[in-house]
Amino acid sequence: MIVYVCNSCGKGYFEPRGICKCGSDSFREEERETKRLHCVKLLVPPAGFPEQVEFCLSSAGDTRVLELGGSRE
Amino acid sequence: MVAIVDAWLTPFGKRKESLFDLAKESSLPLIRKFRDAIDFVIISNSYSGEFNGISGVNNLISTYLSLEDIPSIRVDNTSGSGGSAVLVAKSFLDSGMARAVLVIGVEKMSTMKTRDVTSVISSLLPPRERSVGISVPSLASLMTREYLDRYRARREAIAEVAVKNHRNGARNPFAHIRKEVTLSDVLSSPVVADPLTQYEFCPISDGSASLLLVRDEEALSFTGKPVYIKGMAMGSDSSHITDREDLLEMRSVKRAGELAMKFSGVERVDFAELHDMATILEIVEAEALGLLRKGEGWKYYLEGRTEVNGDMPINTSGGLNSKGHPIGASGVAQLVEAFHQIRGEAGERQVKDARTGLSLSMAGFGNSATVTVVGDEP
């Protein structure tokens, strides 16, 4: 899972930002392993997605991320 | 200080009338009485472009109501538009820019199918989070899982929010869903986002609500029973759900509530109208506002303490859950309910001796929140 990490303070973000909370606008991409916290099956997803979507809130180090659910195989 | 001197709303539901006629229906009683006094019009609306193909909606509605000589603006803050619109109206009155502001909240959503509506509303989510397929309702399910795990709460307690709100909605002639449901009905209704079911989410509704606000020193020349805005504040949080360190914290709600209560000088309100887009939100919001004890809010629902005759009545109108959630109208309609409660005009839903109340108008998934504390005295 790619996380955007501030080059100044090291804070990680799942969703890219233009400016970090520390004021820096310089980020790098970092590949991190994830650990699932909670998963949800959505049976009425927004138009344009499959009829059933499963997603998970996961942690990637100290950063929370969203990822598709189901088997990791 | 500012007072609400008149209020009205349309029945919510799937309505055949246009956006313009819904706005007319809620505002006509106010315009008939106070046309000459109104000097600013604020339209609370979020999705007229997406749902109705209309831009410049404030000027179009004002002209349709023959108020085109009165300045107007549109306030859009997604689901929190209504609270934001009233905050702007209050600011205009406090600053002296206006003397009588007509706020009209309106939305016509039934023009689209459910998944298309979900797609439009989910556009408030940031691109990467949205790409996973999440929707605002599914975030409520994520919150439910965290709440059940952390507090060892009972699943049926969450569903009891829907039972209570449908009971209240059945007694509200303006509610979208006017039927009572049992706990079994709620738990066995189709799952929308596991574990939450259909009855635990608000329906897609059309509707409109209107308020007339004036400065408090002029209020008694409009009505013998003004309802005063004693405190009002807005809070904000990240619109990126992955940036929230604690999903159950609802920082925007907590901050807005703390400030609004401080400004009001009120220690405890007699009732509250909260943003129950999903059942779990009512509980977590009530905890963030200090209305229910943190981590124990679910127990109040098992004990009936949030019912109309309980010690902390919540969503006597039926809430978004039963009354409906026409986005731009919702926050305005919450204050219509508060107006009637404080004046003792809420009929079968009347809270005994209601003198102060609170409404929470919330945007997105707590991206921002406006809390208004009202009462029968300045």
Side-chain angles (χ1 to χ4, degrees):
Chain A
M1 172 68 68
I2 295 287
V3 171
Y4 299 92
V5 179
C6 173
N7 282 324
S8 178
C9 70
K11 182 167 175 58
Y13 297 96
F14 173 72
E15 193 73 41
R17 288 194 180 213
I19 301 174
C20 180
K21 287 181 176 179
C22 76
S24 165
D25 66 347
S26 173
F27 296 88
R28 66 179 181 275
E29 293 184 8
E30 209 171 271
E31 180 72 33
R32 291 184 181 175
E33 293 292 313
T34 61
K35 181 183 169 192
R36 290 180 179 175
L37 302 172
H38 297 288
C39 296
V40 165
K41 274 186 190 152
L42 176 57
L43 283 83
V44 188
F49 288 91
E51 297 214 339
Q52 183 174 313
V53 171
E54 184 177 5
F55 71 89
C56 303
L57 179 68
S58 305
S59 62
D62 58 0
T63 306
R64 284 191 164 195
V65 302
L66 289 171
E67 58 183 346
L68 289 172
S71 165
R72 287 176 188 256
E73 299 302 314
Chain B
M1 191 180 283
V2 165
I4 304 169
V5 292
D6 206 355
W8 196 243
L9 77 168
T10 69
F12 287 2
K14 294 198 186 307
R15 300 287 305 268
K16 64 180 190 314
E17 291 82 0
S18 70
L19 183 81
F20 301 128
D21 278 322
L22 289 168
K24 173 195 161 189
E25 190 177 326
S26 75
S27 62
L28 184 61
L30 286 63
I31 292 171
R32 283 217 167 115
K33 279 186 268 183
F34 303 117
R35 168 69 175 83
D36 292 343
I38 298 166
D39 61 358
F40 219 106
V41 176
I42 298 178
I43 304 296
S44 167
N45 171 270
S46 198
Y47 296 111
S48 68
E50 292 85 344
F51 293 147
N52 317 113
I54 295 168
S55 62
V57 69
N58 52 300
N59 289 120
L60 286 168
I61 289 176
S62 284
T63 303
Y64 191 70
L65 303 175
S66 287
L67 301 174
E68 65 264 44
D69 54 323
I70 300 170
S72 66
I73 58 168
R74 169 199 187 185
V75 172
D76 165 17
N77 189 10
T78 65
S79 293
S81 297
S84 300
V86 174
L87 184 67
V88 172
K90 181 181 181 307
S91 304
F92 284 2
L93 292 160
D94 284 339
S95 70
M97 182 179 286
R99 293 185 65 183
V101 181
L102 175 63
V103 177
I104 305 175
V106 63
E107 204 81 55
K108 183 159 178 74
M109 306 172 68
S110 66
T111 52
M112 283 187 180
K113 293 179 178 169
T114 300
R115 287 186 62 180
D116 293 319
V117 171
T118 305
S119 183
V120 167
I121 293 171
S122 298
S123 66
L124 65 85
L125 299 165
R128 195 177 181 200
E129 292 185 358
R130 197 178 169 198
S131 70
V132 181
I134 61 168
S135 60
V136 178
S138 63
L139 295 177
S141 292
L142 207 53
M143 176 182 264
T144 305
R145 292 211 173 278
E146 188 131 355
Y147 190 92
L148 293 172
D149 277 3
R150 189 182 304 175
Y151 299 127
R152 306 261 180 244
R154 283 163 55 185
R155 171 67 182 93
E156 60 267 35
I158 315 296
E160 285 288 357
V161 175
V163 175
K164 182 259 299 173
N165 286 348
H166 282 76
R167 185 179 300 122
N168 293 344
R171 287 157 178 75
N172 183 349
F174 297 92
H176 184 160
I177 302 172
R178 296 197 62 203
K179 71 166 186 180
E180 295 196 28
V181 294
T182 64
L183 184 62
S184 168
D185 292 335
V186 175
L187 292 172
S188 63
S189 68
V191 173
V192 172
D194 187 30
L196 298 179
T197 67
Q198 190 174 321
Y199 279 127
E200 294 183 276
F201 289 100
C202 61
I204 293 167
S205 311
D206 308 324
S208 179
S210 291
L211 299 169
L212 186 69
L213 294 102
V214 304
R215 291 177 62 84
D216 62 332
E217 62 264 28
E218 299 194 42
L220 287 169
S221 65
F222 286 81
T223 175
K225 287 202 282 187
V227 171
Y228 297 93
I229 294 182
K230 298 173 72 69
M232 190 169 196
M234 195 169 186
S236 184
D237 200 353
S238 175
S239 59
H240 303 170
I241 204 75
T242 46
D243 285 343
R244 310 256 181 106
E245 288 173 12
D246 184 349
L247 261 186
L248 305 181
E249 192 63 33
M250 304 225 82
R251 287 189 300 187
S252 63
V253 176
K254 189 168 189 289
R255 179 74 176 146
E258 284 170 353
L259 283 174
M261 290 298 283
K262 181 180 165 190
F263 295 153
S264 73
V266 173
E267 289 194 0
R268 189 181 186 282
V269 292
D270 298 322
F271 66 90
E273 285 287 303
L274 304 185
H275 185 92
D276 56 329
M277 176 276 288
T279 45
I280 185 69
L281 280 168
E282 180 175 308
I283 300 174
V284 176
E285 290 162 2
E287 292 183 6
L289 291 165
L291 303 172
L292 308 180
R293 276 196 300 278
K294 182 91 174 160
E296 296 184 17
W298 59 279
K299 295 177 184 171
Y300 288 67
Y301 291 83
L302 296 175
E303 296 163 358
R305 296 175 63 182
T306 58
E307 301 279 350
V308 169
N309 61 357
D311 59 329
M312 187 60 252
I314 297 179
N315 284 328
T316 55
S317 67
L320 279 53
N321 182 241
S322 170
K323 187 179 63 194
H325 183 25
I327 307 278
S330 282
V332 182
Q334 289 175 317
L335 283 166
V336 174
E337 175 73 6
F339 180 79
H340 290 308
Q341 284 287 353
I342 297 287
R343 286 162 56 108
E345 298 168 348
E348 291 179 85
R349 310 183 315 282
Q350 183 63 48
V351 173
K352 193 178 173 199
D353 301 328
R355 297 193 60 196
T356 58
L358 174 154
S359 77
L360 163 66
S361 176
M362 193 172 87
F365 201 73
N367 301 359
S368 76
T370 306
V371 171
T372 309
V373 177
V374 294
D376 63 353
E377 289 180 347

